[in-house]
Amino acid sequence: MKRKLNIQMSGIAILGILATLIMSIAVFYGKFQQQEMEEMKNYASLLVNMKGEQSDYFWEKYSFDMDSLRITVVDKNGNVQYDNNADVTALENHLKRKEVVEAFERGEGKTVRKSSTLKRVTFYYAKRLDENYVVRVGKASESVWSIFFAMLPPLMFFTWLLVLMCIILSHVLSNKLLEPIAQMAADMNHTDKINVYKELVPFMDKISRQHEDIIKSSKMRQEFTANVTHELKTPLTAISGYSELIENGMADREDTLHFAGEIRRNSDRLLNLINDIIRLSELDTEKELGECEEFDLYVAAQNCVDMLQVSAAKHDVSLEMEGASTYIWANPYMIDEVLFNLCDNAIRYNNPGGKVWLRVWQDKKKCCILEVEDTGIGISRKHQQRIFERFYRVDKSRSKKTGGTGLGLAIVKHIAAKHSAHIDLDSEEGRGTRIRVTFVPKQL
């Protein structure tokens, strides 16, 4: 990148130098032509003034011996009457010469003619003496290419000098520009100590945030891997231990029934854990919501309540439904998962004789509200910030006893984020928990 940047900056500088050089020569030559024409105009005006009251053939009285100027007098028929540098009898008719035609028509005319070799050019300026004659002044000069080639050695010297300076400066500037990026690549943990251009600050900040996110994600993956290993190992160890006792005949009939029950319970826990892990993995990789449709959230919540009544009765918890018909645009299967996980947690982490309320309604802003409230064990403030993390449990011993996987609320958080829904948690230890999910209206 550094080499490419140097080449590009040097190339731009060289093109700028060459363009400036060409434009300077063009401007210089244009000014030179203008000055030459102005000088010949003055000579022609002087010759016209010399005529005065003299005869029409005043040029016969004067001799114009000028090496740099050519003075020619042409009559209205195009015949050359006088030329100070040539034999008039050998000259061709000048009636079609541009400067002569313009002088007879408008009083004055001018032109520049190049030689066939492009080595020299001649500037002509003609002025009308009267209705019969035109005086023309001509001056030969170097062409623009002759001037350019004459100036080429010093121009090349200064051009190469400027190019060398541009290469050095581009190298210095590219180093200064890329040095902060190199420092950041070498040490991403101390980017605040790197001096950069103010234009690079947003870029540096974004890179720093991305680096922090990568580190955080890496730590989360490591923690997740460790948690998965631990969570899978616990029921598998129990299943293996109980199976080994039965296999070796170390359990009587009563113990065998107990061990079989423990094997089944741990197998169910293992199966639920695997299913939740797979579901979380799917939610992480899925970019789209899938098949969404408009449906009644109240009806979906009522179905969830009916399905979990047996589980609620088993835990000596009453489950009630409140609210009214409310339609939302969402993936119905994902919303069923949200309802099940919230209600299942409210039942599992409740007290005997406790209550769970599932409410659905629409607020003044047309937002659909799903709320689950319980009279359970509650969550202390120090745990509330982490309750939606994977495998995070407030009461680990109770989670194992109730068969919770620690992934239910993580699934709820993922699904809510995919639906642009907002989750609010209000809980007090020993008094219960209320979780509210707000679905904003679909923008049509």
Side-chain angles (χ1 to χ4, degrees):
M1 179 180 177
K2 182 177 177 181
R3 182 172 178 271
K4 185 176 181 180
L5 186 60
N6 280 331
I7 293 174
Q8 290 178 344
M9 292 177 67
S10 300
I12 293 172
I14 292 170
L15 288 176
I17 292 171
L18 293 176
T20 303
L21 180 63
I22 294 171
M23 290 179 64
S24 299
I25 293 174
V27 171
F28 166 77
Y29 191 68
K31 290 292 184 181
F32 173 73
Q33 281 187 326
Q34 184 179 359
Q35 184 177 356
E36 290 290 303
M37 284 295 183
E38 191 67 28
E39 182 181 358
M40 288 189 294
K41 179 179 180 181
N42 293 334
Y43 278 118
S45 299
L46 178 62
L47 292 172
V48 171
N49 292 334
M50 288 174 62
K51 176 178 182 292
E53 299 298 329
Q54 303 177 39
S55 66
D56 291 343
Y57 304 98
F58 77 98
W59 55 85
E60 295 179 354
K61 181 179 180 181
Y62 297 96
S63 175
F64 304 99
D65 187 12
M66 301 179 183
D67 293 334
S68 60
L69 291 178
R70 180 182 178 185
I71 299 173
T72 307
V73 179
V74 182
D75 64 18
K76 62 181 180 181
N77 296 319
N79 299 317
V80 179
Q81 299 297 323
Y82 174 81
D83 193 300
N84 66 332
N85 285 339
D87 182 7
V88 296
T89 60
L91 295 176
E92 61 182 9
N93 190 280
H94 283 39
L95 188 60
K96 294 184 179 181
R97 299 292 173 91
K98 180 177 180 294
E99 67 278 10
V100 175
V101 173
E102 291 179 355
F104 275 116
E105 291 178 353
R106 299 197 295 266
E108 61 179 3
K110 58 184 177 180
T111 189
V112 179
R113 279 196 285 275
K114 298 179 182 180
S115 67
S116 59
T117 60
L118 298 180
K119 294 289 180 68
R120 294 178 68 83
V121 294
T122 304
F123 300 91
Y124 290 106
Y125 184 88
K127 194 172 183 67
R128 186 173 60 197
L129 288 171
D130 52 32
E131 66 275 6
N132 295 317
Y133 297 100
V134 164
V135 62
R136 185 186 69 176
V137 179
K139 184 178 182 181
S141 178
E142 299 292 329
S143 68
V144 65
W145 295 109
S146 300
I147 297 172
F148 174 76
F149 287 121
M151 297 173 61
L152 190 59
L155 285 176
M156 291 296 294
F157 172 76
F158 286 109
T159 299
W160 280 114
L161 183 62
L162 288 173
V163 169
L164 181 61
M165 291 176 60
C166 290
I167 292 174
I168 295 173
L169 288 175
S170 66
H171 181 74
V172 172
L173 289 174
S174 61
N175 282 342
K176 193 172 182 180
L177 181 65
L178 298 177
E179 184 180 1
I181 300 176
Q183 292 177 355
M184 184 174 62
D187 185 8
M188 288 292 297
N189 296 321
H190 299 90
T191 55
D192 56 324
K193 298 180 180 180
I194 301 175
N195 294 323
V196 297
Y197 294 111
K198 63 179 181 180
E199 291 81 6
L200 280 179
V201 171
F203 171 74
M204 299 284 282
D205 291 342
K206 187 172 183 179
I207 293 295
S208 298
R209 289 194 299 269
Q210 289 179 343
H211 177 66
E212 292 173 0
D213 292 341
I214 290 172
I215 293 176
K216 184 178 179 180
S217 299
S218 178
K219 289 181 178 178
M220 289 178 62
R221 283 195 297 269
Q222 291 176 356
E223 292 177 1
F224 181 71
T225 302
N227 288 331
V228 168
T229 302
H230 175 74
E231 294 292 337
L232 292 176
K233 185 178 180 180
T234 301
L236 285 173
T237 301
I239 292 171
S240 177
Y242 290 131
S243 300
E244 185 177 357
L245 291 174
I246 295 173
E247 183 183 21
N248 294 332
M250 298 177 64
D252 55 22
R253 186 175 185 281
E254 184 177 349
D255 287 337
T256 301
L257 292 176
H258 171 69
F259 292 162
E262 289 296 321
I263 290 173
R264 182 194 59 78
R265 187 176 66 83
N266 281 280
S267 298
D268 290 342
R269 181 183 171 195
L270 183 62
L271 183 61
N272 291 334
L273 185 62
I274 292 173
N275 287 334
D276 283 350
I277 292 172
I278 292 173
R279 184 57 183 142
L280 268 177
S281 178
E282 290 174 349
L283 290 172
D284 283 337
T285 56
E286 288 176 358
K287 294 183 179 180
E288 302 294 334
L289 282 174
E291 296 182 2
C292 292
E293 61 183 64
E294 189 177 34
F295 62 94
D296 194 337
L297 182 60
Y298 183 85
V299 173
Q302 184 62 60
N303 292 336
C304 179
V305 169
D306 295 340
M307 181 178 62
L308 289 175
Q309 286 294 353
V310 175
S311 176
K314 181 180 177 181
H315 289 83
D316 191 19
V317 174
S318 63
L319 181 58
E320 298 181 9
M321 178 72 196
E322 297 178 358
S325 179
T326 303
Y327 284 85
I328 65 170
W329 180 272
N331 185 313
Y333 303 104
M334 290 186 179
I335 300 303
D336 286 342
E337 290 183 83
V338 171
L339 288 166
F340 176 83
N341 282 299
L342 290 178
C343 291
D344 186 58
N345 273 6
I347 293 171
R348 289 177 185 273
Y349 298 97
N350 215 315
N351 299 309
K355 291 185 177 181
V356 175
W357 292 274
L358 178 56
R359 304 184 182 98
V360 175
W361 78 93
Q362 188 177 73
D363 65 7
K364 296 179 180 179
K365 297 180 180 180
K366 303 296 183 180
C367 294
C368 297
I369 312 297
L370 168 63
E371 184 177 270
V372 178
E373 183 179 2
D374 64 65
T375 59
I377 62 175
I379 306 168
S380 64
R381 289 190 177 274
K382 68 177 183 179
H383 294 295
Q384 289 181 14
Q385 295 296 326
R386 301 189 61 189
I387 194 64
F388 290 96
E389 294 180 9
R390 303 175 184 188
F391 294 113
Y392 189 83
R393 296 184 179 91
V394 176
D395 189 342
K396 295 184 179 180
S397 61
R398 178 156 185 165
S399 295
K400 293 181 179 178
K401 184 178 178 181
T402 59
T405 63
L407 297 174
L409 290 182
I411 293 174
V412 170
K413 180 181 177 181
H414 269 66
I415 294 176
K418 286 184 176 293
H419 286 82
S420 300
H422 180 68
I423 300 179
D424 293 301
L425 173 66
D426 182 18
S427 183
E428 185 177 348
E429 191 172 10
R431 300 192 64 178
T433 301
R434 181 174 66 232
I435 296 179
R436 179 179 294 178
V437 184
T438 305
F439 298 90
V440 297
K442 179 178 180 290
Q443 300 296 325
L444 298 177

